[in-house]
């Protein structure tokens, strides 16, 4: 349940409408609160302040009307600019990056600030009353006019919000072009990937093998979609309650459909735990970064491959993607890749996650981008250096050998896609790559 709540909160606060809606509600509460203070005389001191000229009902109405109209106009412009930036980024860098820009807190908070100021000004405007205005619902022949009312404290609040909006507008106009710069995009994905790796695999410089699945009776999926969340805490509770072992057959980010097994159950009947276990798997139409570092790796690979495509031909963008990919692979190579789903001894844990070996991440990253890199001599040279730099901090011989083999496969692919001086340069760099790891021979 805790995992589901965290996932719900992460998805909720990633929605583009969440902050505008939240800020609008807070602005409405603030407006009603300041108007109440004005009606009860708590803002009377502002009428006597020498540094502030009090505003009459007519002036207050005009000021608030201008503020409300200006804020909704600016909010529309901000939304339009955001859509243009999102369209540009998703078209040039890949459609999967659409979520990254919609989740951008700078864009969300900027729009929310203008929306909340509009709501605040509109509600305060309703409280302004001219001196000759009649009470609502009273006939003119029997009514007496009420004194005018201009909420001085609420107006001061509106001025403060407008000043804040000016600052946010300046920030937004700088933030949008900065956020769609490819180096910034790659930095955002790369740092998020490194954080996800450290959260998923917190133990460093330990290389214990993952537990082997224990088999059992399969529990098939009954719905179609991507596995967005697995609530391991509830799975552990269920397994211990029924004294059974659950061996997962899927990981977060996998696509399932009815009939495919989610996990194997050993030690108890599937029917006894089926209803509870199914609630611990959240399926959706799209993959999300939560519990899924592979999703962020795929984003880096996608940007790199698109940059190396003949239609774009931007190898330097691919080089930056390779640098972040190398940093992530090196980080993964230095960590214990067993998922810790129990607070106590992992060897006695009744839930065995599907293991993600280092070879899986290498193939997902360097292996997926290798074919595109081999067509570009510049990118091939950098990838050899990146693989070398990723392997140097890794002390596990088996994992380091996987990266060395990846460099050799890149060389074999380059022999097919390159020729002439370009191939000679890559071969020379590959020979240096081999010497770095104590290998003296290079294949022809």
């Amino acid at each position: 349940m805790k995992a589901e709540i965290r996932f719900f909160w992460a998805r909720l606060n990633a929605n583009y409408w969440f902050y505008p809606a939240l800020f609008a509600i807070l602005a409405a509460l603030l407006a009603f609160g300041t108007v109440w203070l004005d009606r009860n005389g708590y803002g009377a001191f502002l009428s006597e302040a020498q540094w502030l000229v009090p505003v009459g009902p007519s002036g207050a109405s005009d000021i608030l009307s201008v503020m409300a109209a200006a804020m909704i106009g600016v909010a529309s412009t901000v939304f339009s600019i955001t859509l243009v930036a999102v369209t540009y980024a998703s078209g040039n860098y890949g459609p999967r990056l659409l979520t990254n820009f919609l989740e951008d807190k700078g864009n969300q908070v900027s729009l929310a600030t203008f929306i909340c100021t509009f709501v605040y000004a509109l509600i305060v405007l309703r409280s302004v009353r001219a001196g000759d205005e009649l009470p609502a619902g009273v006939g003119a022949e029997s009514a007496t006019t009420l004194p005018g009312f201009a909420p001085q404290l609420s107006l001061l609040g509106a001025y403060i919000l407008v000043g804040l909006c000016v600052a946010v507008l300046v920030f937004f106009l700088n933030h949008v072009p900065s956020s769609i710069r490819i180096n910034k995009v790659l930095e955002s994905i790369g740092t998020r990937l490194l954080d996800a790796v450290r959260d998923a695999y917190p133990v460093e410089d330990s290389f214990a093998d993952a537990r082997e699945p224990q088999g059992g009776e399969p529990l098939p999926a009954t719905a179609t979609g991507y596995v967005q969340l697995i609530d391991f805490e509830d799975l552990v509770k269920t397994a211990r309650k029924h004294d059974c072992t659950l061996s997962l057959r899927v990981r977060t980010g996998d696509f399932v459909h009815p009939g495919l097994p989610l996990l194997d159950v050993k030690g108890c009947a599937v029917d006894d735990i089926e209803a509870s276990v199914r609630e611990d798997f959240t399926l959706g139409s799209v993959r999300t970064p939560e519990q899924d570092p592979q999703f962020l790796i795929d984003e880096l690979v996608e940007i790199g491959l698109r940059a190396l495509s003949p239609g774009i031909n931007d190898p330097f963008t691919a080089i930056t993607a390779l640098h972040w990919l190398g940093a992530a692979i090196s980080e993964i190579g230095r960590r214990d890749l067993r998922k810790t789903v129990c607070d106590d001894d992992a060897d006695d844990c009744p839930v065995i996650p599907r293991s993600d070996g280092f070879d899986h991440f290498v193939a997902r990253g360097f292996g997926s981008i290798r074919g595109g890199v081999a067509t570009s001599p510049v990118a091939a040279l950098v990838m050899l250096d990146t693989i070398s730099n990723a392997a140097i901090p890794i002390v596990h011989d088996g994992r380091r050998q996987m990266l060395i083999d990846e460099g050799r496969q890149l060389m074999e692919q380059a022999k097919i896609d390159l020729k002439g001086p370009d191939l000679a340069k890559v071969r020379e760099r590959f020979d240096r790559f081999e010497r770095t790891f104590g290998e003296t021979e290079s294949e022809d």
Side-chain angles (χ1 to χ4, degrees), residues 113-153:
T113 304
F114 298 117
I115 292 294
C116 84
T117 304
F118 166 75
V119 171
Y120 179 89
L122 209 60
I123 293 177
V124 173
L125 178 61
R126 182 182 180 275
S127 69
V128 177
R129 184 177 62 247
D132 57 350
E133 187 174 338
L134 298 177
V138 179
E141 66 282 354
S142 59
T144 57
T145 59
L146 298 176
F149 177 69
Q152 304 297 326
L153 185 61

Side-chain angles (χ1 to χ4, degrees), residues 136-321:
V138 179
E141 66 282 354
S142 59
T144 57
T145 59
L146 298 176
F149 177 69
Q152 304 297 326
L153 185 61
S154 300
L155 280 170
L156 181 60
Y159 274 109
I160 293 173
L161 284 176
V162 169
L164 178 63
C165 286
V166 173
V168 170
L169 180 60
V170 174
F171 159 79
F172 178 78
L173 294 177
N174 173 73
H175 175 73
V176 169
S178 175
S179 65
I180 62 176
R181 289 173 54 237
I182 187 58
N183 287 346
K184 187 68 174 178
V185 173
L186 289 169
E187 179 192 8
S188 175
I189 299 172
T191 53
R192 191 173 183 181
L193 172 57
L194 291 174
D195 291 340
V197 168
R198 291 162 185 153
D199 290 341
Y201 310 108
V203 180
E204 193 172 1
D205 296 328
S206 176
F207 310 102
D209 294 331
R211 293 175 62 194
E212 293 295 328
Q214 297 187 11
E217 185 179 356
L219 173 64
T222 58
T224 301
Y226 291 98
V227 179
Q228 295 180 326
L229 175 77
I230 302 175
D231 193 337
F232 290 105
E233 294 180 7
D234 278 0
L235 284 176
V236 171
K237 292 178 181 177
T238 301
R240 285 177 171 165
K241 178 180 179 181
H242 293 85
D243 194 22
C244 60
T245 301
L246 307 179
S247 303
L248 272 66
R249 300 276 292 273
V250 298
R251 63 173 68 88
T252 310
D254 287 348
F255 188 83
V256 300
H257 54 76
L260 287 181
L262 294 174
L263 49 80
D264 293 328
V265 181
K266 183 179 181 180
C268 67
V270 173
D271 294 340
D272 295 341
I273 64 172
E274 180 177 0
S276 175
V277 167
R278 291 193 187 281
E279 293 179 355
D280 297 330
F281 289 84
T282 301
L283 303 183
S285 59
V286 295
R287 294 171 61 190
T288 63
E290 282 75 28
Q291 288 189 348
D292 187 11
Q294 295 94 325
F295 177 74
L296 298 169
I297 292 176
D298 291 346
E299 286 189 332
L300 291 176
V301 170
E302 179 182 13
I303 292 176
L305 289 176
R306 288 174 69 91
L308 292 169
S309 64
I312 298 179
N313 192 23
D314 181 12
F316 296 100
T317 291
I319 287 172
T320 307

